[in-house]
Amino acid sequence: MTFSSTSKELEYFRSLEAVRERSNWVYSLVKEGKSKYFKVDEAKLEQVASFIGELIARDYTSANSVPAHGRWRSFEIQNGSDTEQKRDLVNEHIQKWMSYGVDSKEICRRVIDLFVVSVILDAGAGSKWAYFDSETNSTYKRTEGLGMASLRMFEAGIFSSDQKSPFQVDSKKLLSFSDKDLIKGFQVSESNPLIGTENRARLIRNLGRVISNEEVFFPRSGGKSSSRPGNMFDYLVSKSIYGKIGVKQLWKVIIEGFYEVWPKTETKIEQVSLGDAWKCDILMQGTFSDRFEEYNNIIPFHKLSMWLTWSLVEAIERVGCLAVCDLHLLTGLPEYRNGGLLVDMGVIQLNQITIDEQIMTGNVNTEDKTPLFEVNSQVVVEWRALTITLLDKLHLVLCEALGMKTSEFPLNKLLEAGSWKAGRELSFKLRPKTGNPPIGIISDGTVF
């Protein structure tokens, strides 16, 4: 929803600036020894960078060939033994649509449609769920499985109310999207459980309501009664100057336009829920700013919004031919693969007392004995903040090791080539039964 009058407080806590700034504050306090839960060993970032460098050498011809981190990668599947030789399922559709005479703007709308629903459904699936794809005769788990399932539903027209236009996502169909639609599309069963099935379906219905009511960011065209997420491209084009938009303009569409998609949380300003933003007790021990003093203990992450922004940047630039500027303002993703890597390699150290307390109270994963915490717990909140700041620091260390400027090897390439991939590979090496991160998060399918 667009806000005709937004307080400075609300505007700040929705901003990209607040995510990075307040994470840096948490990092400073942890370094000062004020955390009850964590210590940080920044010197070990060199070991992490070395590990990521090995993965880059293994998986790519050079650092220059590393692609951007975004949802598009989930639609690129292995094609033979060469890790760089992949089948691009999205591009296959783009080429077909072009051959059918579909104009470039509509193609971009379609890709945005797909990416939006796919990211909204991309919170952690859990270690027990998998998706079998009959076309490729392959089984996919976690984010790849969620991506493949959403793609196949998109191809089948499950998100479209118009049988003549199956390759779209529209509000009319989303409003009637049912739990059964998701269960069928994602092959959920007692033997194949997916975390947060009902919550995911609710997010899709929320999306339908949002784009139906919001005509500024998602303008309807041709007198159509239903709107689409992809219509944001028309809005962005209208705001562009010489074929360019600032990333803040895209962020505004996502953070305000999709505001009511996300579940309401207890963290509020002026009775408006901030979504993926949480109370962070450690911030009360610092005096970093006298701005918004009443809300000094709040830290925003907006992880799925950030993930969606990174993903849509690629679609808008590659398909829509609209340049998105100032990408350095975006942050790394505070999720369990990036954060898990930093814990597993000793950069972030959770104290043993906290781990023992979880074991004593039975808050552990029974399969791998990793401690479990609620998403709003101070452990998880601090961990996520530390992850954002340390990804920035790791980016600098890695670029120095590669002999490249950060503009040549931007943060989204670090996420793709290294931190996310390294986090997952190390998790499966250390916890082969589950591949879970070293710190478990009790998820409901709407945040991670």
Side-chain angles (χ1 to χ4, degrees):
M1 61 184 292
T2 49
F3 293 85
S4 57
S5 177
T6 304
S7 70
K8 290 183 179 180
E9 291 87 352
L10 197 55
E11 182 178 350
Y12 170 73
F13 282 99
R14 284 201 180 117
S15 71
L16 293 168
E17 172 196 1
V19 176
R20 179 170 271 118
E21 181 175 67
R22 290 187 168 246
S23 293
N24 289 344
W25 292 353
V26 171
Y27 178 82
S28 296
L29 291 166
V30 173
K31 287 284 285 183
E32 291 173 14
K34 294 184 177 180
S35 173
K36 298 178 183 178
Y37 313 104
F38 292 104
K39 291 183 179 179
V40 170
D41 187 350
E42 195 174 318
K44 291 186 177 179
L45 285 175
E46 290 189 6
Q47 297 175 31
V48 181
S50 178
F51 180 32
I52 292 173
E54 292 173 6
L55 295 183
I56 292 173
R58 182 194 71 186
D59 296 339
Y60 303 96
T61 53
S62 71
N64 289 319
S65 65
V66 175
H69 191 56
R71 196 54 173 160
W72 203 312
R73 303 289 80 73
S74 298
F75 306 123
E76 295 172 339
I77 60 176
Q78 203 64 41
N79 191 18
S81 58
D82 187 346
T83 56
E84 287 197 83
Q85 188 66 37
K86 293 187 176 182
R87 182 182 168 196
D88 188 335
L89 302 180
V90 171
N91 193 53
E92 287 179 8
H93 280 298
I94 290 172
Q95 296 306 313
K96 287 180 183 178
W97 295 332
M98 289 175 63
S99 70
Y100 297 153
V102 180
D103 69 75
S104 59
K105 281 190 175 182
E106 171 57 21
I107 291 175
C108 191
R109 292 187 199 104
R110 292 181 181 187
V111 176
I112 291 174
D113 278 352
L114 169 61
F115 284 14
V116 168
V117 291
S118 190
V119 168
I120 285 175
L121 292 169
D122 193 41
S127 61
K128 298 179 180 180
W129 177 83
Y131 179 81
F132 175 73
D133 183 53
S134 58
E135 182 184 323
T136 58
N137 195 33
S138 299
T139 297
Y140 302 90
K141 302 194 73 174
R142 297 186 182 266
T143 190
E144 288 87 356
L146 295 168
M148 186 63 76
S150 62
L151 173 64
R152 297 311 185 200
M153 292 178 73
F154 176 78
E155 292 172 337
I158 302 301
F159 302 115
S160 173
S161 64
D162 186 350
Q163 293 183 351
K164 295 180 180 179
S165 300
F167 299 108
Q168 68 176 34
V169 175
D170 66 68
S171 56
K172 183 178 179 181
K173 184 57 183 285
L174 297 187
L175 286 167
S176 63
F177 189 83
S178 68
D179 294 357
K180 290 182 179 179
D181 289 330
L182 188 74
I183 289 169
K184 180 179 179 181
F186 279 62
Q187 302 172 354
V188 180
S189 65
E190 287 188 11
S191 60
N192 191 37
L194 174 67
I195 290 175
T197 299
E198 295 82 4
N199 287 333
R200 292 172 202 267
R202 187 177 299 113
L203 291 182
I204 293 298
R205 291 191 291 273
N206 289 349
L207 174 63
R209 187 178 67 255
V210 163
I211 60 176
S212 177
N213 295 333
E214 174 55 67
E215 296 189 21
V216 175
F217 295 140
F218 312 108
R220 298 175 187 179
S221 58
K224 293 184 178 180
S225 60
S226 193
S227 188
R228 297 164 55 186
N231 289 353
M232 76 166 71
F233 183 64
D234 300 86
Y235 170 81
L236 293 170
V237 169
S238 74
K239 296 295 181 180
S240 65
I241 300 175
Y242 301 118
K244 297 179 181 180
I245 59 166
V247 75
K248 284 188 176 182
Q249 190 69 61
L250 175 58
W251 179 255
K252 180 180 177 68
V253 174
I254 291 170
I255 203 69
E256 292 187 19
F258 293 132
Y259 157 69
E260 291 191 341
V261 170
W262 312 115
K264 301 295 185 289
T265 63
E266 294 181 359
T267 312
K268 298 178 181 179
I269 290 179
E270 299 174 0
Q271 299 306 308
V272 177
S273 170
L274 290 176
D276 185 13
W278 310 90
K279 291 182 179 179
C280 183
D281 294 345
I282 195 174
L283 285 174
M284 299 304 291
Q285 300 184 52
T287 53
F288 298 98
S289 173
D290 57 3
R291 287 193 305 165
F292 321 127
E293 192 170 353
E294 182 182 352
Y295 305 106
N296 267 352
N297 66 332
I298 294 177
I299 183 167
F301 296 118
H302 306 306
K303 181 260 177 177
L304 283 177
S305 295
M306 195 74 70
W307 175 222
L308 182 56
T309 304
W310 278 119
S311 298
L312 293 187
V313 164
E314 185 173 13
I316 290 165
E317 291 194 328
R318 283 182 60 179
V319 186
C321 298
L322 193 63
V324 184
C325 306
D326 303 321
L327 295 183
H328 65 279
L329 298 175
L330 298 179
T331 72
L333 301 176
E335 48 80 61
Y336 63 84
R337 289 305 184 205
N338 293 319
L341 170 68
L342 296 168
V343 173
D344 276 334
M345 296 202 72
V347 181
I348 298 175
Q349 301 169 1
L350 177 62
N351 67 46
Q352 192 60 45
I353 293 175
T354 302
I355 296 173
D356 291 342
E357 286 176 351
Q358 297 305 100
I359 293 173
M360 289 289 291
T361 55
N363 292 313
V364 293
N365 186 301
T366 55
E367 293 180 286
D368 55 26
K369 306 305 179 185
T370 49
L372 291 172
F373 300 89
E374 296 285 351
V375 69
N376 63 346
S377 70
Q378 292 305 298
V379 168
V380 172
V381 171
E382 286 188 23
W383 180 32
R384 297 179 75 192
L386 291 172
T387 296
I388 287 176
T389 296
L390 284 164
L391 284 173
D392 282 342
K393 293 180 179 294
L394 176 60
H395 184 210
L396 295 175
V397 174
L398 180 62
C399 284
E400 184 176 354
L402 294 173
M404 302 177 75
K405 298 177 181 178
T406 54
S407 58
E408 296 171 324
F409 194 84
L411 184 60
N412 58 350
K413 289 197 173 190
L414 162 67
L415 298 174
E416 179 60 27
S419 59
W420 187 88
K421 181 188 295 184
R424 180 162 68 171
E425 291 199 11
L426 198 53
S427 282
F428 276 99
K429 180 179 180 180
L430 297 176
R431 293 168 291 278
K433 192 172 183 179
T434 64
N436 283 332
I439 298 174
I441 300 167
I442 300 171
S443 175
D444 65 357
T446 64
V447 177
F448 286 91

